[in-house]
Each structure stands twice: as structure tokens, then as C-alpha cells.
Amino acid sequence: MSLPQSSREQVSREQVLALFERPLFDLLFEAQQVHRANFDANEVQVSTLLSIKTGACPEDCKYCPQSARYNTGLEVERLMEMENVLARAQEAKANGSSRFCMGAAWRNPKERDMPYLVQMVQEVKSLGLETCMTLGMLDDSQAGRLADAGLDYYNHNLDTSPEFYGDIITTRTYADRLDTLENVRNSGMKVCSGGIVGLGESAEDRAGLLQALANLPRQPESVPINMLVKVKGTPMENQADLDDFDFIRTIAVARILMPQSHVRLSAGREKMNDQMQAMCFMAGANSIFYGCKLLTTPNPDESSDMQLFKRLGIRPSGVSQVSQKPDEMTEIELHEQLAAQAEPVLYYEA
């Protein structure tokens, strides 16, 4: 079944479901063709995501250990001091990240915090990194101020399909999320928006999530696909596991529907073996979060990521391809050594 060629044309639910129902290898073959037509097939964009304010969120997202409504044993932390943020950003750059993302567990930022956030963006950009923030809902004025400060990306996930959304979150609506994405886009910032699979949703809900993302007036530049990380104390702690192949299918369909977006293999990687991650890269994933944690949930450490990259013959964006002579240290090996020396950093699940 042919799909619309323009991102401004609407894709139907039936078209998305038809992709999900294709034989897996046919789907992967098409996704890889689409990927190679739009990106360097052996390059992965690497982002680091730091929690700048942890816990005590008033929202009731059933998957999230940061919600104040659930007892997960999470230690609440206030907004991080600037010097600590910049130290973590410098570490991230040294370890091969090209983008530094900052997340705060808020429903929305308060006016008193905006000048500090603006300064934070400016200081991190001065280090030569792309910048991203995820702070909850933004109005048009807040989005404009962050854009004027130089913020490159804003993350705000749709999480799941419109139909299943109310089963997961009741404290903000799907329309609220779409309004924030519209404010971000109108400000001139790039959009990072994706979702979570493994929440107990149906295959049609996974199709609905990707349909909603693909049918945005302009498709997101970055699409994080998260596998649910089950955290004790949240309503999702006993959720049944999603089949690995269903996750891989989701990556492949996202690649086909959003050919020019970076599709990020995000939360849940710590539970994926190397073979599954390799299949996700084959399916069109070309971005990862890098570091020991995504806020409170585990993530593969930097050295294991670089070892996997080396085994697969892929490299972080911005790292030149060099000859693999046994008596020379390649840039990949240098990144691996730097990663092994770095102290653990706190990352945010998005």
C-alpha cells in the first residue's frame, strides 16, 4: 500500500496498521531502504539527558516514578545549580554526545524559573552543544523565550494513541500536549516528540501513536520510542512485557512514516540485548540516549554502547570515518576510553 509522499498529507489508521501487519523482514527491508535514502546508514546521533529537577511532579502518568502520587522511593531534588549542569554538559560532550537535553519534573515551568532556564540554555550552548529541554507544558510566551535563548529542541511526548491516552494520564489532555507542540513549532524550535510502548496498549494504539506523530503539521525532527521501564510503586510495575518483535516493528513503522526524522531508541535499552538493539538500528533507529541512567531507570553505560557501535561498524554523528588499522587508535576507541573514565551522570526518561 502506497503512503503519502508529503509529511503534510494525512496518513490513515488503515495504512499504518497495514505496515504493522507486513511480514517482519519485508517491513525491515523497506525501513532500511527509507533510512538509507535519508541518512548515513552507519551513523547514530548521540544525546545525553540530565534531570535538572527530580520528583514531586503533580501529574498522574501511570508509568512515571517522578509522580508525587506514587511511592517509588525516589528522592526529590530541587532545581540543579548552574555549575553542576555545566559540568555534566562538559562530560557529555567529552563522551561523544552532540546534544545535551535537560529535563524537569514539572507540569509546566513557573515564571520565577524562566530567567534561570534561559541562562541555562545560553550557557550550555556556549560549550558547543545542541540543546534540548523537557519541562512539561509550555505556553506561547515561554516557548518564544526559550527559542530566543537559543534552545534547539523541545521534547514533549504524545505517549500513546488518543484513544488509549486517558487510561494512562488524566491530569492533562491529548489536546494539551498538541497545544504545547504547536507553541514549540511556532516559536521556531525543533520538535522532539514520541511515545512509550508496552503500556498495555493494543497494536492499533501503537499505530494510533505513530499516526498522530506523522500527521502533525510538520513531522518531529526527533522521535523517541520508549519501551516501558516497570518501576516498583507505579501502577505499571506489573505490566506484562511487550514482545520484542512488536517493539522492533514500531521502530520500523516510525522510520517509514517519518523518513526524515531521527528515530531514537530510548528508555528500556538496558533490558535489550545487543542483537535486539542491532535489529532496531536495522529498522531505522539512528539516535540514542547515552549514559548510565535515564533519570531513575537503568540505561547501558557509555563504554558498552561504544563497544556495540564498534562491533556493528557504526559511529556517533560528527565522528569521522577512519581506517580500522590494528596499530592505530581510531576515534571510536578514543571515545570508548573517555566513556570508561567518566563518572556516572543522572539522565531523564523521555
Side-chain angles (χ1 to χ4, degrees):
M1 180 180 292
S2 62
L3 294 172
Q5 296 303 305
S6 169
S7 62
R8 295 188 179 276
E9 296 180 36
Q10 299 291 290
V11 61
S12 71
R13 184 69 60 88
E14 290 73 22
Q15 287 174 308
V16 184
L17 283 169
L19 286 173
F20 272 98
E21 291 166 2
R22 293 184 65 187
L24 180 61
F25 294 137
D26 291 348
L27 180 65
L28 292 179
F29 182 69
E30 181 175 349
Q32 181 64 196
Q33 288 180 307
V34 171
H35 182 57
R36 287 174 178 270
N38 291 277
F39 291 98
D40 183 329
N42 296 310
E43 190 170 88
V44 175
Q45 188 275 325
V46 177
S47 295
T48 293
L49 188 47
L50 171 71
S51 176
I52 59 172
K53 185 270 177 186
T54 302
C57 180
E59 305 281 21
D60 68 351
C61 308
K62 290 183 178 179
Y63 54 80
C64 187
Q66 297 212 68
S67 173
R69 299 164 187 256
Y70 314 132
N71 182 16
T72 62
L74 179 68
E75 183 177 349
V76 175
E77 297 178 1
R78 300 180 65 180
L79 194 59
M80 188 176 287
E81 294 181 359
M82 187 75 69
E83 63 183 49
N84 292 334
V85 174
L86 294 179
R88 303 298 174 82
Q90 288 170 330
E91 288 176 1
K93 183 178 180 181
N95 290 338
S97 290
S98 60
R99 186 178 308 154
F100 192 68
C101 309
M102 296 155 276
W106 286 325
R107 176 177 170 82
N108 55 275
K110 302 296 188 291
E111 177 56 35
R112 65 177 180 267
D113 298 312
M114 288 302 297
Y116 188 70
L117 295 170
V118 164
Q119 182 186 2
M120 193 177 293
V121 172
Q122 294 169 336
E123 294 285 349
V124 172
K125 278 190 72 72
S126 72
L127 301 176
L129 287 161
E130 287 186 319
T131 53
C132 177
M133 282 186 161
T134 178
L135 312 168
M137 294 183 289
L138 294 182
D139 61 30
D140 57 353
S141 174
Q142 291 170 327
R145 291 167 69 181
L146 291 171
D148 289 344
L151 187 64
D152 297 297
Y153 288 81
Y154 193 80
N155 167 259
H156 199 64
N157 290 336
L158 294 182
D159 281 356
T160 188
S161 70
E163 297 84 359
F164 190 59
Y165 182 84
D167 291 345
I168 305 300
I169 302 156
T170 67
T171 48
R172 73 174 90 167
T173 67
Y174 216 75
D176 289 333
R177 291 184 181 260
L178 292 172
D179 287 345
T180 289
L181 294 181
E182 182 179 9
N183 292 335
V184 169
R185 185 61 80 190
N186 289 342
S187 76
M189 287 188 288
K190 295 176 182 177
V191 168
C192 174
S193 186
I196 306 171
V197 296
L199 297 169
E201 76 284 346
S202 66
E204 181 155 346
D205 289 316
R206 289 190 285 279
L209 166 65
L210 297 185
Q211 180 193 16
L213 291 166
N215 284 342
L216 290 171
R218 183 176 168 188
Q219 293 182 343
E221 283 80 7
S222 180
V223 180
I225 304 295
N226 298 273
M227 177 80 85
L228 173 68
V229 177
K230 292 174 279 190
V231 178
K232 185 175 177 58
T234 67
M236 293 284 174
E237 65 174 301
N238 296 316
Q239 180 60 48
D241 289 340
L242 182 73
D243 184 89
D244 289 347
F245 291 125
D246 287 335
F247 184 85
I248 294 165
R249 284 180 184 277
T250 305
I251 295 287
V253 174
R255 166 53 63 221
I256 292 168
L257 293 177
M258 292 169 279
Q260 296 181 347
S261 303
H262 278 82
V263 177
R264 178 174 296 140
L265 187 57
S266 196
R269 280 201 307 124
E270 191 266 346
K271 296 293 187 182
M272 300 177 192
N273 62 27
D274 288 350
Q275 291 79 10
M276 181 178 175
Q277 290 190 66
M279 287 194 73
C280 288
F281 292 131
M282 182 69 181
N286 63 338
S287 177
I288 63 166
F289 277 131
Y290 184 64
C292 65
K293 282 190 177 181
L294 295 177
L295 186 56
T296 60
T297 56
N299 197 46
D301 66 27
E302 296 96 332
S303 59
S304 65
D305 281 333
M306 285 302 174
Q307 289 166 9
L308 178 59
F309 280 12
K310 185 176 180 182
R311 290 166 63 199
L312 298 178
I314 58 181
R315 61 190 179 280
S317 300
V319 175
S320 301
Q321 189 169 10
V322 294
S323 59
Q324 301 288 315
K325 296 180 181 179
D327 58 343
E328 293 180 0
M329 177 179 288
T330 68
E331 290 185 68
I332 293 291
E333 290 166 332
L334 178 59
H335 279 285
E336 182 178 336
Q337 286 192 7
L338 286 169
Q341 295 168 4
E343 295 180 358
V345 186
L346 191 65
Y347 294 83
Y348 185 85
E349 179 180 342

Short mmCIF file of all heavy atoms in Angstrom, two decimals, residues 3-12 15-16 34 38 185 210-221 223 254-261:
data_model
loop_
_atom_site.label_atom_id
_atom_site.label_comp_id
_atom_site.label_asym_id
_atom_site.label_seq_id
_atom_site.Cartn_x
_atom_site.Cartn_y
_atom_site.Cartn_z
N LEU A 3 2.06 5.08 0.56
CA LEU A 3 1.82 6.07 1.60
C LEU A 3 1.98 7.46 1.01
O LEU A 3 2.66 7.64 0.00
CB LEU A 3 2.81 5.88 2.74
CG LEU A 3 2.65 4.58 3.54
CD1 LEU A 3 3.82 4.44 4.50
CD2 LEU A 3 1.34 4.57 4.29
N PRO A 4 1.38 8.48 1.64
CA PRO A 4 1.57 9.84 1.16
C PRO A 4 3.05 10.21 1.13
O PRO A 4 3.80 9.85 2.04
CB PRO A 4 0.81 10.68 2.20
CG PRO A 4 -0.18 9.75 2.80
CD PRO A 4 0.49 8.40 2.80
N GLN A 5 3.47 10.92 0.12
CA GLN A 5 4.88 11.30 -0.02
C GLN A 5 5.21 12.56 0.77
O GLN A 5 6.34 12.78 1.15
CB GLN A 5 5.21 11.51 -1.51
CG GLN A 5 5.08 10.25 -2.34
CD GLN A 5 5.96 9.13 -1.81
OE1 GLN A 5 7.16 9.31 -1.66
NE2 GLN A 5 5.35 7.99 -1.51
N SER A 6 4.23 13.41 1.01
CA SER A 6 4.48 14.65 1.74
C SER A 6 4.10 14.48 3.19
O SER A 6 3.09 13.86 3.52
CB SER A 6 3.65 15.79 1.13
OG SER A 6 3.68 16.93 1.99
N SER A 7 4.92 15.04 4.11
CA SER A 7 4.61 14.96 5.52
C SER A 7 3.36 15.74 5.86
O SER A 7 2.79 15.58 6.95
CB SER A 7 5.80 15.47 6.35
OG SER A 7 6.05 16.84 6.07
N ARG A 8 2.88 16.61 4.96
CA ARG A 8 1.68 17.40 5.21
C ARG A 8 0.41 16.65 4.82
O ARG A 8 -0.68 17.07 5.16
CB ARG A 8 1.75 18.74 4.48
CG ARG A 8 2.89 19.62 5.00
CD ARG A 8 2.83 21.01 4.40
NE ARG A 8 3.90 21.84 4.92
CZ ARG A 8 3.85 22.51 6.07
NH1 ARG A 8 2.77 22.44 6.82
NH2 ARG A 8 4.86 23.24 6.48
N GLU A 9 0.56 15.57 4.08
CA GLU A 9 -0.59 14.76 3.75
C GLU A 9 -0.91 13.82 4.91
O GLU A 9 -0.02 13.38 5.63
CB GLU A 9 -0.33 13.95 2.48
CG GLU A 9 -0.13 14.81 1.24
CD GLU A 9 0.13 13.96 0.01
OE1 GLU A 9 -0.47 12.88 -0.11
OE2 GLU A 9 0.96 14.38 -0.80
N GLN A 10 -2.19 13.54 5.10
CA GLN A 10 -2.61 12.73 6.22
C GLN A 10 -2.48 11.24 5.90
O GLN A 10 -2.90 10.77 4.84
CB GLN A 10 -4.06 13.04 6.59
CG GLN A 10 -4.28 14.49 7.01
CD GLN A 10 -3.63 14.81 8.34
OE1 GLN A 10 -4.07 14.33 9.38
NE2 GLN A 10 -2.57 15.61 8.31
N VAL A 11 -1.90 10.51 6.83
CA VAL A 11 -1.83 9.06 6.71
C VAL A 11 -2.99 8.47 7.51
O VAL A 11 -3.33 8.97 8.60
CB VAL A 11 -0.47 8.52 7.21
CG1 VAL A 11 -0.24 8.83 8.66
CG2 VAL A 11 -0.35 7.03 6.97
N SER A 12 -3.63 7.46 6.98
CA SER A 12 -4.81 6.88 7.64
C SER A 12 -4.39 5.79 8.63
O SER A 12 -3.30 5.22 8.53
CB SER A 12 -5.76 6.29 6.61
OG SER A 12 -5.20 5.11 6.04
N GLN A 15 -3.66 2.57 6.82
CA GLN A 15 -2.34 2.49 6.21
C GLN A 15 -1.27 2.12 7.23
O GLN A 15 -0.36 1.33 6.94
CB GLN A 15 -1.99 3.83 5.54
CG GLN A 15 -2.77 4.10 4.27
CD GLN A 15 -2.48 5.50 3.74
OE1 GLN A 15 -2.60 6.49 4.47
NE2 GLN A 15 -2.10 5.58 2.48
N VAL A 16 -1.36 2.70 8.42
CA VAL A 16 -0.38 2.40 9.46
C VAL A 16 -0.51 0.95 9.91
O VAL A 16 0.48 0.23 10.06
CB VAL A 16 -0.52 3.37 10.64
CG1 VAL A 16 0.59 3.10 11.67
CG2 VAL A 16 -0.45 4.81 10.17
N VAL A 34 14.29 3.18 3.27
CA VAL A 34 13.91 4.56 3.59
C VAL A 34 15.01 5.24 4.39
O VAL A 34 15.36 6.41 4.14
CB VAL A 34 12.58 4.58 4.36
CG1 VAL A 34 12.27 5.97 4.91
CG2 VAL A 34 11.43 4.09 3.49
N ASN A 38 17.70 8.70 3.36
CA ASN A 38 17.62 9.97 4.09
C ASN A 38 18.76 10.21 5.07
O ASN A 38 18.96 11.35 5.49
CB ASN A 38 16.29 10.03 4.85
CG ASN A 38 15.11 10.16 3.93
OD1 ASN A 38 14.76 11.25 3.49
ND2 ASN A 38 14.46 9.03 3.62
N ARG A 185 6.61 24.62 17.89
CA ARG A 185 6.84 24.74 16.46
C ARG A 185 6.72 26.20 16.01
O ARG A 185 7.54 26.68 15.23
CB ARG A 185 5.84 23.86 15.70
CG ARG A 185 6.05 23.82 14.21
CD ARG A 185 7.40 23.26 13.84
NE ARG A 185 7.46 21.82 13.89
CZ ARG A 185 8.60 21.13 13.79
NH1 ARG A 185 9.77 21.75 13.69
NH2 ARG A 185 8.59 19.80 13.81
N LEU A 210 1.78 6.50 16.22
CA LEU A 210 2.61 6.88 15.07
C LEU A 210 1.81 7.67 14.04
O LEU A 210 2.36 8.59 13.40
CB LEU A 210 3.22 5.63 14.44
CG LEU A 210 4.17 4.83 15.35
CD1 LEU A 210 4.80 3.69 14.57
CD2 LEU A 210 5.25 5.72 15.96
N GLN A 211 0.53 7.37 13.91
CA GLN A 211 -0.31 8.16 13.01
C GLN A 211 -0.39 9.61 13.49
O GLN A 211 -0.27 10.55 12.69
CB GLN A 211 -1.72 7.56 12.95
CG GLN A 211 -2.68 8.33 12.04
CD GLN A 211 -4.13 7.91 12.22
OE1 GLN A 211 -4.48 7.27 13.22
NE2 GLN A 211 -4.97 8.26 11.27
N ALA A 212 -0.60 9.80 14.79
CA ALA A 212 -0.69 11.16 15.34
C ALA A 212 0.61 11.93 15.13
O ALA A 212 0.59 13.12 14.76
CB ALA A 212 -1.04 11.10 16.83
N LEU A 213 1.74 11.27 15.33
CA LEU A 213 3.04 11.94 15.13
C LEU A 213 3.27 12.26 13.66
O LEU A 213 3.70 13.37 13.31
CB LEU A 213 4.16 11.05 15.66
CG LEU A 213 4.22 10.86 17.18
CD1 LEU A 213 5.14 9.70 17.54
CD2 LEU A 213 4.67 12.14 17.87
N ALA A 214 2.98 11.30 12.79
CA ALA A 214 3.22 11.50 11.36
C ALA A 214 2.31 12.57 10.77
O ALA A 214 2.67 13.22 9.79
CB ALA A 214 3.03 10.18 10.61
N ASN A 215 1.13 12.77 11.36
CA ASN A 215 0.16 13.72 10.83
C ASN A 215 0.24 15.10 11.46
O ASN A 215 -0.60 15.96 11.18
CB ASN A 215 -1.26 13.16 11.01
CG ASN A 215 -1.58 12.09 9.99
OD1 ASN A 215 -0.92 11.96 8.97
ND2 ASN A 215 -2.60 11.30 10.29
N LEU A 216 1.24 15.33 12.32
CA LEU A 216 1.46 16.70 12.80
C LEU A 216 1.72 17.60 11.60
O LEU A 216 2.24 17.15 10.57
CB LEU A 216 2.64 16.74 13.76
CG LEU A 216 2.42 16.09 15.13
CD1 LEU A 216 3.73 16.00 15.90
CD2 LEU A 216 1.37 16.84 15.94
N PRO A 217 1.36 18.90 11.68
CA PRO A 217 1.56 19.80 10.54
C PRO A 217 2.98 19.74 9.96
O PRO A 217 3.17 19.87 8.75
CB PRO A 217 1.25 21.17 11.12
CG PRO A 217 0.27 20.89 12.22
CD PRO A 217 0.72 19.58 12.81
N ARG A 218 3.95 19.54 10.82
CA ARG A 218 5.33 19.27 10.40
C ARG A 218 5.85 18.15 11.29
O ARG A 218 5.74 18.23 12.51
CB ARG A 218 6.19 20.53 10.53
CG ARG A 218 7.62 20.35 10.05
CD ARG A 218 8.37 21.66 10.11
NE ARG A 218 9.80 21.49 9.93
CZ ARG A 218 10.70 22.46 10.10
NH1 ARG A 218 10.30 23.67 10.47
NH2 ARG A 218 11.98 22.22 9.91
N GLN A 219 6.38 17.11 10.69
CA GLN A 219 6.79 15.96 11.48
C GLN A 219 7.94 16.30 12.43
O GLN A 219 8.78 17.15 12.12
CB GLN A 219 7.18 14.81 10.56
CG GLN A 219 5.99 14.27 9.77
CD GLN A 219 6.34 13.10 8.88
OE1 GLN A 219 7.50 12.85 8.58
NE2 GLN A 219 5.32 12.38 8.43
N PRO A 220 7.99 15.66 13.61
CA PRO A 220 9.06 15.96 14.56
C PRO A 220 10.44 15.67 13.96
O PRO A 220 10.61 14.70 13.21
CB PRO A 220 8.78 15.01 15.73
CG PRO A 220 7.35 14.63 15.59
CD PRO A 220 7.07 14.63 14.12
N GLU A 221 11.41 16.49 14.31
CA GLU A 221 12.78 16.22 13.89
C GLU A 221 13.35 15.03 14.66
O GLU A 221 14.26 14.35 14.17
CB GLU A 221 13.66 17.45 14.12
CG GLU A 221 13.49 18.55 13.09
CD GLU A 221 12.27 19.42 13.31
OE1 GLU A 221 11.59 19.27 14.35
OE2 GLU A 221 11.97 20.28 12.46
N VAL A 223 12.13 11.60 17.14
CA VAL A 223 11.01 10.78 17.59
C VAL A 223 11.54 9.70 18.54
O VAL A 223 12.00 8.64 18.09
CB VAL A 223 10.28 10.13 16.39
CG1 VAL A 223 9.12 9.26 16.88
CG2 VAL A 223 9.78 11.20 15.42
N ALA A 254 7.78 3.64 12.37
CA ALA A 254 8.12 5.05 12.61
C ALA A 254 9.08 5.55 11.54
O ALA A 254 8.93 6.67 11.02
CB ALA A 254 8.73 5.22 14.00
N ARG A 255 10.08 4.74 11.19
CA ARG A 255 11.03 5.15 10.16
C ARG A 255 10.35 5.37 8.81
O ARG A 255 10.61 6.36 8.13
CB ARG A 255 12.15 4.10 10.05
CG ARG A 255 13.04 4.19 8.84
CD ARG A 255 13.65 5.60 8.65
NE ARG A 255 14.51 5.96 9.74
CZ ARG A 255 14.54 7.18 10.29
NH1 ARG A 255 13.73 8.15 9.86
NH2 ARG A 255 15.36 7.46 11.28
N ILE A 256 9.46 4.47 8.43
CA ILE A 256 8.79 4.59 7.13
C ILE A 256 7.86 5.80 7.10
O ILE A 256 7.82 6.54 6.11
CB ILE A 256 8.02 3.29 6.82
CG1 ILE A 256 9.01 2.14 6.59
CG2 ILE A 256 7.12 3.46 5.59
CD1 ILE A 256 8.36 0.77 6.56
N LEU A 257 7.12 6.02 8.19
CA LEU A 257 6.17 7.13 8.22
C LEU A 257 6.83 8.49 8.35
O LEU A 257 6.30 9.49 7.87
CB LEU A 257 5.19 6.93 9.39
CG LEU A 257 4.23 5.76 9.32
CD1 LEU A 257 3.39 5.70 10.59
CD2 LEU A 257 3.32 5.88 8.10
N MET A 258 7.99 8.53 9.02
CA MET A 258 8.69 9.80 9.27
C MET A 258 10.12 9.69 8.76
O MET A 258 11.07 9.60 9.53
CB MET A 258 8.62 10.13 10.77
CG MET A 258 7.20 10.45 11.22
SD MET A 258 6.93 10.55 13.00
CE MET A 258 6.76 8.79 13.41
N PRO A 259 10.28 9.67 7.45
CA PRO A 259 11.57 9.31 6.84
C PRO A 259 12.70 10.27 7.16
O PRO A 259 13.86 9.85 7.15
CB PRO A 259 11.25 9.30 5.34
CG PRO A 259 10.03 10.12 5.18
CD PRO A 259 9.24 9.92 6.43
N GLN A 260 12.40 11.53 7.46
CA GLN A 260 13.47 12.49 7.71
C GLN A 260 13.66 12.79 9.19
O GLN A 260 14.46 13.65 9.54
CB GLN A 260 13.19 13.78 6.93
CG GLN A 260 13.21 13.57 5.42
CD GLN A 260 12.97 14.84 4.63
OE1 GLN A 260 12.55 15.85 5.18
NE2 GLN A 260 13.24 14.78 3.35
N SER A 261 12.94 12.10 10.05
CA SER A 261 13.09 12.27 11.49
C SER A 261 14.18 11.35 12.02
O SER A 261 14.36 10.24 11.53
CB SER A 261 11.77 11.93 12.21
OG SER A 261 10.70 12.72 11.74
#
